[in-house]
Amino acid sequence: MRFGILLQSLMVVAGAAAAAAERGIYTDLPEDITEVHVIIAGGGTVGCILASRLAAKDPTLSILLIEQGMNNHNVQSVFYPALFEINTLPGSKTALFWKASNPSPQLANREPIIETGGILGGGSSINWMVYTRGQWDDFDGWDTRGWTTEDVLPYLKKVETYHGETNHTATHGYKGPIHVSKGRHRAVRAERAWIDGAGKVGREEKGDLQSLWENDAVGPWYWYVSPVDGRRQDVAHRYLHPLLRGEEGEEGARNLYVLVESQVLRILFDEERRAVGVEYRPNPIFAEGNNSTGTTDKKGRCVEARKLVVSSAGSLGTPLLLERSGVGKKEVLEKAGVPVVAEVSGVGAQFQDHHFVGYVYRTNLQPNETINGIARNDRDRDVEGMIARDDPQLGWNGHDASSKLRPSPAEVAALGPEFQAAWIRDFADTPNRPHMVMGLFNCYFGDPDALPDGAEYVTTAPWVTYPYSRGHIHVTGPDIEDAYDFETGWFQDADDIDLKSHIWGYKTQRAIARQMSIFAGELAAGHPRFPEGSKAAVIEKADGPVSSDIEYSDEDDAAIVQFIRENVGTSRHPLGTCRMAAEEENGVVDPELNVYGVSGLKIADLSILPSPVAANTYNTALMVGEKAADIVIRELGLAGGSP
């Protein structure tokens, strides 16, 4: 069974799961549900946690959660970690693909695409499952009442059951719904190769890089995977589905309605600018499957919210929803033909993402030490057979080792006076802040037909932790079908600090990779095109580690820059487009997540982050979900909110 057939098969399974008669999950909302207490627009990580916690806290509180994608219950490409790549391949219905509106000269005239979760559970259903947490300085750096590290630490602990090594037990949780472990399969040889290779070039090894305190070191990577059954730890399967289903003889929640395959068109306001409901419609891409008319009519069905509306549509979806509803910058709304309900200038601004570049290496690993061929069902993999026998390798994401690194003073100086000035201003006195995260992915993400031989190829992926680049996303018309105006802003920062960071990242990861015991060469297409005769030339085949002491000329650096511009992409960590900050500082929400200029409306997703965290963002989203739930629980007077 080839890849196309496998993908079709997995989507059939997904469709069957979505159509299953799971109580509380609908593709068509019953006609008698015309009002509820709370409406949550967006069934991603934060939305699922918020809905689940509210429903469990008070069975008399009615909650409607609306998700534009399908139900994720028992979808194989979701719960088998090794199949994660399927979710973002062309033709996927489990991801959303946000394409930049115009070619960017800084990106070799490309229009980058940001993939986000397009299924119940959001990013938690399709992400790479790597367990990476922010640093202690990150949350304190938000400088926001109620959101310091001491404030959010109880929620960081509440979400997890940690099965890993640590010398910092006080910063981890051991009774939460989300398991963090090494799953049921790992490639120890590859893990040690990265860690030991880093050691050979002077990098320290630490067992728990996710303690909030450790930094400038390498170590093992843990995952959001169960150590028992090897299943992904997404929020829908860990929070939502068990609540709806009921466990250990208990009746499932009857006060939570989950509407999937439906798009929220706009938030509705009364004359006092209070959010009183939403207008939605069936998502046309699922029209045939849910027996709806498949209409793309501009008018949808309305549902009232008696107490609260929450937007949890994500960093790209939430600002567009607010602007279609009349909340945003006046000039943007007027140009788009949207009546202004409230002028909130920060909506859609300050887009940020951890941009990264992948570099490819040939290794002496064996097939059971990589996930190559599993998602695409090629390279002689029998994925159907693996699924039938629940092969432990399916419970592995291929990511065993990582690092959080900072450049040395000499490396900082070599990147030029502008970079050095930025380093002195933003990093020199904060040793808790890493400059880049980079790790080893035991997989090759490109077309396998492009590989020169049958060896197992792997990828390193350094990404900038605190990017200086800023972009935006805005509506251009009043309707959901209207094009959006999306600019990533990558490499448009002053003095090219982000680009220079990537130059350092390339040289740093290459030095480590060349010292790995599994090193067997460099894929030419996965590295810069160095000029003929360069001392930095790619070594396509090797019998083991080679020198990491590489001399780069100015021409070599130019080749590195060009490769970066041509290949930089997203880590899928968009954030900051509806920042939690003072309104006069272009903030959109206050510390209680209330949207400025209106009432009865909150935002609860990663769009609220005031600034990035030095981590994959799933962990931060889990924390935001738990804290948002406590904020709402307190405000509605349901009970004292505390973790």
Side-chain angles (χ1 to χ4, degrees):
M1 184 171 61
R2 302 304 297 167
F3 166 67
I5 302 174
L6 175 65
L7 178 59
Q8 184 180 18
S9 171
L10 292 175
M11 290 301 102
V12 168
V13 172
E22 182 177 358
R23 187 171 65 193
I25 296 186
Y26 307 89
T27 54
D28 292 292
L29 196 64
E31 292 294 331
D32 60 341
I33 301 177
T34 59
E35 66 174 15
V36 292
H37 292 107
V38 178
I39 296 176
I40 301 170
T45 298
V46 178
C48 281
I49 294 176
L50 177 58
S52 300
R53 292 300 192 195
L54 293 180
K57 178 61 70 172
D58 184 352
T60 69
L61 186 78
S62 55
I63 302 110
L64 172 61
L65 177 67
I66 305 177
E67 165 55 37
Q68 66 83 39
M70 67 175 69
N71 183 4
N72 78 340
H73 187 245
N74 286 342
V75 174
Q76 290 178 339
S77 66
V78 170
F79 68 73
Y80 284 127
L83 298 179
F84 72 87
E85 187 186 0
I86 287 177
N87 295 299
T88 51
L89 290 174
S92 169
K93 286 189 176 181
T94 60
L96 300 174
F97 299 86
W98 303 85
K99 187 177 181 180
S101 300
N102 297 294
S104 172
Q106 290 83 3
L107 308 179
N109 290 317
R110 293 182 299 123
E111 299 164 305
I113 295 173
I114 312 294
E115 304 96 340
T116 64
I119 186 172
L120 188 64
S124 78
S125 291
I126 72 166
N127 65 24
W128 293 8
M129 295 156 285
V130 290
Y131 176 67
T132 316
R133 300 203 296 175
Q135 300 296 100
W136 192 276
D137 286 9
D138 290 343
F139 308 108
D140 281 348
W142 290 353
D143 192 25
T144 302
R145 173 180 49 81
W147 293 84
T148 68
T149 308
E150 291 285 1
D151 293 322
V152 304
L153 180 58
Y155 300 102
L156 293 171
K157 296 168 65 175
K158 180 179 182 179
V159 301
E160 70 180 24
T161 294
Y162 182 70
H163 298 272
E165 174 187 343
T166 187
N167 291 322
H168 299 272
T169 56
T171 66
H172 287 288
Y174 298 92
K175 297 180 181 179
I178 304 294
H179 287 266
V180 177
S181 77
K182 279 288 189 179
R184 296 197 300 160
H185 183 92
R186 64 194 287 195
V188 176
R189 198 159 65 97
E191 179 180 320
R192 290 309 316 175
W194 176 263
I195 294 171
D196 294 343
K200 291 177 182 178
V201 297
R203 295 294 179 176
E204 184 180 0
E205 177 183 355
K206 293 183 179 178
D208 181 13
L209 287 175
Q210 314 311 328
S211 67
L212 310 182
W213 289 111
E214 302 292 7
N215 187 28
D216 205 14
V218 298
W221 222 343
Y222 293 90
W223 328 307
Y224 296 104
V225 174
S226 167
V228 177
D229 60 13
R231 297 295 190 261
R232 174 194 289 270
Q233 300 292 283
D234 66 276
V235 292
H237 282 96
R238 299 306 301 161
Y239 285 80
L240 193 70
H241 295 308
L243 180 68
L244 291 171
R245 184 173 61 245
E247 293 186 328
E248 299 178 359
E250 295 183 2
E251 185 178 51
R254 292 186 175 275
N255 59 328
L256 174 57
Y257 309 97
V258 180
L259 178 63
V260 296
E261 302 177 10
S262 298
Q263 298 171 313
V264 177
L265 303 179
R266 58 187 53 84
I267 299 162
L268 306 174
F269 295 92
D270 64 14
E271 293 80 3
E272 276 84 44
R273 297 191 295 183
R274 178 175 182 82
V276 294
V278 301
E279 181 183 0
Y280 76 90
R281 73 173 189 192
N283 188 338
I285 71 169
F286 298 105
E288 182 178 349
N290 66 17
N291 296 319
S292 76
T293 62
T295 180
T296 56
D297 290 345
K298 295 180 180 181
K299 186 173 178 57
R301 175 181 168 185
C302 297
V303 180
E304 295 181 17
R306 280 183 273 174
K307 293 181 179 291
L308 182 66
V309 176
V310 182
S311 179
S312 293
S315 296
L316 297 172
T318 281
L320 298 183
L321 175 58
L322 262 64
E323 288 180 344
R324 289 198 304 272
S325 308
V327 179
K329 190 172 184 177
K330 183 178 179 181
E331 291 86 345
V332 170
L333 300 179
E334 290 180 342
K335 185 177 180 181
V338 178
V340 178
V341 173
E343 182 170 12
V344 184
S345 297
V347 173
Q350 297 293 309
F351 169 84
Q352 299 159 65
D353 189 15
H354 293 136
H355 35 72
F356 90 106
V357 183
Y359 305 101
V360 185
Y361 294 90
R362 188 174 185 270
T363 73
N364 61 20
L365 293 171
Q366 298 300 307
N368 70 342
E369 295 176 296
T370 78
I371 58 173
N372 288 329
I374 295 181
R376 296 173 184 263
N377 199 30
D378 52 29
R379 296 178 68 88
D380 297 322
R381 297 281 195 176
D382 176 15
V383 177
E384 192 174 35
M386 294 176 73
I387 291 173
R389 64 179 180 270
D390 194 20
D391 192 308
Q393 195 173 1
L394 290 172
W396 178 48
N397 66 355
H399 305 348
D400 288 313
S402 184
S403 51
K404 292 185 174 184
L405 301 177
R406 289 163 62 95
S408 68
E411 290 169 329
V412 169
L415 291 168
E418 295 87 1
F419 186 92
Q420 191 168 29
W423 180 265
I424 291 171
R425 182 186 67 237
D426 299 329
F427 289 90
D429 295 331
T430 53
N432 187 243
R433 288 161 56 91
H435 191 59
M436 295 191 85
V437 170
M438 55 186 76
L440 180 67
F441 300 148
N442 295 4
C443 51
Y444 168 67
F445 294 106
D447 182 354
D449 292 337
L451 295 174
D453 55 36
E456 296 295 330
Y457 287 79
V458 300
T459 306
T460 66
W463 47 266
V464 177
T465 50
Y466 308 105
Y468 290 88
S469 305
R470 297 291 184 270
H472 67 257
I473 186 165
H474 295 297
V475 297
T476 63
D479 300 314
I480 197 168
E481 298 93 350
D482 294 322
Y484 50 74
D485 170 22
F486 179 34
E487 169 60 69
T488 67
W490 295 345
F491 298 160
Q492 295 181 28
D493 56 301
D495 300 318
D496 290 331
I497 305 302
D498 286 350
L499 182 59
K500 292 169 184 175
S501 298
H502 275 286
I503 296 172
W504 174 77
Y506 174 74
K507 295 178 180 179
T508 300
Q509 61 78 33
R510 194 182 187 197
I512 295 173
R514 283 188 163 203
Q515 289 298 300
M516 295 190 301
S517 59
I518 61 173
F519 180 85
E522 299 164 326
L523 181 67
H527 286 266
R529 297 179 294 277
F530 295 111
E532 186 175 353
S534 167
K535 295 180 180 179
V538 166
I539 298 175
E540 295 193 58
K541 287 190 177 182
D543 294 327
V546 298
S547 174
S548 59
D549 186 12
I550 307 170
E551 181 181 337
Y552 294 95
S553 67
D554 290 344
E555 291 76 14
D556 294 329
D557 283 352
I560 295 172
V561 167
Q562 185 62 25
F563 185 87
I564 291 168
R565 292 191 188 281
E566 293 173 353
N567 292 279
V568 68
T570 176
S571 290
R572 301 168 186 155
H573 303 162
L575 56 89
T577 51
C578 291
R579 293 172 61 242
M580 180 168 53
E583 189 172 8
E584 59 270 20
E585 297 173 1
N586 271 341
V588 177
V589 298
D590 65 19
E592 283 70 48
L593 308 182
N594 299 305
V595 176
Y596 294 122
V598 297
S599 63
L601 175 62
K602 292 182 184 288
I603 297 175
D605 55 36
L606 291 181
S607 71
I608 69 163
L609 267 58
S611 58
V613 294
N616 300 69
T617 48
Y618 181 34
N619 190 264
T620 303
L622 291 169
M623 176 273 289
V624 170
E626 291 284 9
K627 184 166 175 60
D630 269 4
I631 288 172
V632 175
I633 286 169
R634 284 196 303 268
E635 289 193 7
L636 296 184
L638 306 183
S642 65

